[in-house]
Amino acid sequence: MASRKTKAIILVSVIVLIISGIIGYRIYSKTQADKERAGRVSQGQAVAVEVATVGRKDITPVLAFSSNFEPVWSADISGKVDGRIERLNVDEGDAVSAGMTIAVLDMGELSAQVIQAEGSLFQAKANLEQAELDLKRMESLATSGAISVQSLDSARTKRDLAAGQVRSAEGALALYDNKLTGATITSPRDGVVVKRYLQTGFYAKAGSPIISVADISTLLAKATVGEAEIAQLQLGATVKIKVDALGGQEFTGTVTRLSPVATVPSRTFIAEVSIPNQQNILKAGMFAKAEVPVKPHLQAIVVPETALVMREDVKTVYVLTANNKVQQRVLKLGYVGNGWAEVLEGLNEGDQIVVAGQNKLRDGSTVRMGAPGEAGK
């Protein structure tokens, strides 16, 4: 009984495989026949195209980069001494000028130390004055032989010690004065407050940032460029800047720095572009597109960019040959942009190429000159 069931299963499987093979063969045959029929139709029917003659043209390559705006200068501002913030005069977005008081720390204890140091200095000066008077008297007595040389040396040593105490007191007073001056925190240059870290009443440690100030009167756009591109850039070159956040509005910048050393292992360089921002229209952090025109290519062989056809990751064009046939040629291109492609190899001046209708062509297709708008039909 089991043997019959096994035989039945095998028989059904064989029948299914045979039917599947027949269906697959018919589908393949029909597909191949359709391709052959389409090929014959394409070979026999001329495609309407538009052609143009290859010529020469002066083109100016443009290097395009993307970057974010950065302030030309920015720094975190902090105090030189510890202290509670007694007064904070600015907030985020406020403009500051060089030397402007940003914050004042509570320095009551330090003020008392300054007064104490002043008193120590007065006392040291008084001791020095007394020691000098004693030394003069000793010198007079020593001249007459009334005192020993040892007593004169002792008076001179006391005078020197008193002078040293004066210098020490002056140093202590200068130190406390400097700390007291450090309690008044000022801006080192003009700018805008872009970040506030602490508020009035907070205790600020020496060196801990209280605010961050940035100079945005000029912004920087830093672009990463390759070896070939850095060689084409020059300091002082004019740069066109487009900002999408401002509706594509254009601004003008200048190349102000080119890094002298490449970053490895990528072997890229940094090109720095400065953009004036006196009207504060631009904001740090905005995305920008930079375009830098480089040395023109004079009388280059060019073709319209729309004439290019991709074939296996290479760019080609269809060239008109004898008997209204076309030949697909692989091109070696230079600069491509502004609607034109620079041809380094693959075409000669005077060649006629298909500029419209090429999407319906293949190598060896027959073409005919079509009226405007008829190409590809």
Side-chain angles (χ1 to χ4, degrees):
M1 187 71 177
S3 177
R4 289 181 180 177
K5 185 177 293 185
T6 301
K7 289 180 179 180
I9 293 173
I10 293 173
L11 181 60
V12 170
S13 299
V14 171
I15 293 172
V16 170
L17 287 174
I18 293 172
I19 294 173
S20 299
I22 293 172
I23 294 173
Y25 176 75
R26 288 184 176 179
I27 293 174
Y28 174 78
S29 299
K30 186 176 185 306
T31 302
Q32 291 299 111
D34 290 343
K35 287 184 178 179
E36 292 177 2
R37 185 165 52 254
R40 290 193 298 269
V41 171
S42 176
Q43 290 287 352
Q45 183 178 359
V47 179
V49 297
E50 293 182 25
V51 299
T53 302
V54 176
R56 294 182 179 270
K57 178 182 175 67
D58 294 345
I59 60 173
T60 302
V62 175
L63 300 181
F65 313 106
S66 297
S67 180
N68 293 320
F69 287 137
E70 299 179 14
V72 69
W73 171 87
S74 63
D76 289 338
I77 310 302
S78 59
K80 297 179 181 178
V81 295
D82 298 348
R84 183 182 61 83
I85 300 176
E86 184 176 89
R87 189 170 73 252
L88 185 59
N89 298 329
V90 295
D91 205 343
E92 292 182 2
D94 290 348
V96 296
S97 55
M100 174 181 170
T101 298
I102 292 173
V104 177
L105 303 182
D106 180 8
M107 288 287 105
E109 181 179 350
L110 189 57
S111 297
Q113 290 175 329
V114 170
I115 295 174
Q116 185 178 7
E118 288 175 343
S120 298
L121 178 59
F122 289 148
Q123 182 178 357
K125 286 181 176 180
N127 292 338
L128 175 60
E129 184 178 357
Q130 183 61 50
E132 288 177 341
L133 292 174
D134 291 344
L135 177 60
K136 287 181 179 180
R137 284 194 293 268
M138 290 296 183
E139 289 174 342
S140 177
L141 293 173
T143 301
S144 62
I147 62 171
S148 65
V149 175
Q150 182 179 2
S151 297
L152 178 61
D153 291 342
S154 178
R156 186 176 290 110
T157 300
K158 288 182 180 179
R159 190 278 313 273
D160 292 342
L161 287 173
Q165 289 173 349
V166 170
R167 293 289 293 169
S168 177
E170 289 175 342
L173 179 59
L175 175 64
Y176 287 126
D177 274 337
N178 185 61
K179 287 185 176 181
L180 190 61
T181 302
T184 301
I185 303 167
T186 60
S187 175
R189 59 186 290 176
D190 297 348
V192 175
V193 179
V194 295
K195 180 72 175 178
R196 186 192 64 192
Y197 298 101
L198 301 176
Q199 298 181 6
T200 300
F202 278 54
Y203 191 83
K205 299 286 290 182
S208 297
I210 298 175
I211 65 168
S212 180
V213 175
D215 181 359
I216 59 173
S217 61
T218 298
L219 293 178
L220 300 179
K222 297 180 180 180
T224 302
V225 300
E227 292 178 279
E229 296 169 326
I230 196 70
Q232 300 181 64
L233 294 175
Q234 293 183 345
L235 291 175
T238 301
V239 183
K240 182 169 65 175
I241 306 293
K242 291 184 179 179
V243 182
D244 292 341
L246 300 177
Q249 189 173 349
E250 293 187 0
F251 300 85
T252 301
T254 305
V255 177
T256 50
R257 191 179 75 86
L258 299 173
S259 56
V261 179
T263 301
V264 292
S266 61
R267 298 193 181 280
T268 56
F269 298 80
I270 299 297
E272 195 171 278
V273 178
S274 298
I275 304 96
N277 188 38
Q278 281 78 12
Q279 304 300 321
N280 289 331
I281 298 175
L282 302 174
K283 308 297 181 184
M286 281 184 171
F287 179 76
K289 298 177 182 177
E291 295 182 351
V292 189
V294 295
K295 185 178 180 180
H297 296 181
L298 304 178
Q299 292 299 293
I301 295 178
V302 295
V303 297
E305 195 173 348
T306 55
L308 301 176
V309 177
M310 291 297 298
R311 188 186 75 179
E312 298 177 356
D313 297 330
V314 295
K315 291 182 178 179
T316 69
V317 292
Y318 285 103
V319 180
L320 188 64
T321 61
N323 301 321
N324 289 331
K325 301 284 187 180
V326 291
Q327 178 189 29
Q328 191 171 19
R329 289 190 194 173
V330 176
L331 304 180
K332 180 180 178 181
L333 300 180
Y335 173 72
V336 178
N338 296 323
W340 296 96
E342 180 185 14
V343 179
L344 303 179
E345 293 179 7
L347 288 177
N348 297 313
E349 185 179 5
D351 287 343
Q352 287 193 310
I353 61 171
V354 177
V355 295
Q358 64 270 37
N359 294 330
K360 294 290 184 76
L361 301 178
R362 64 178 185 173
D363 194 21
S365 295
T366 302
V367 298
R368 62 183 176 85
M369 302 302 108
E374 187 185 1
K377 298 180 180 179

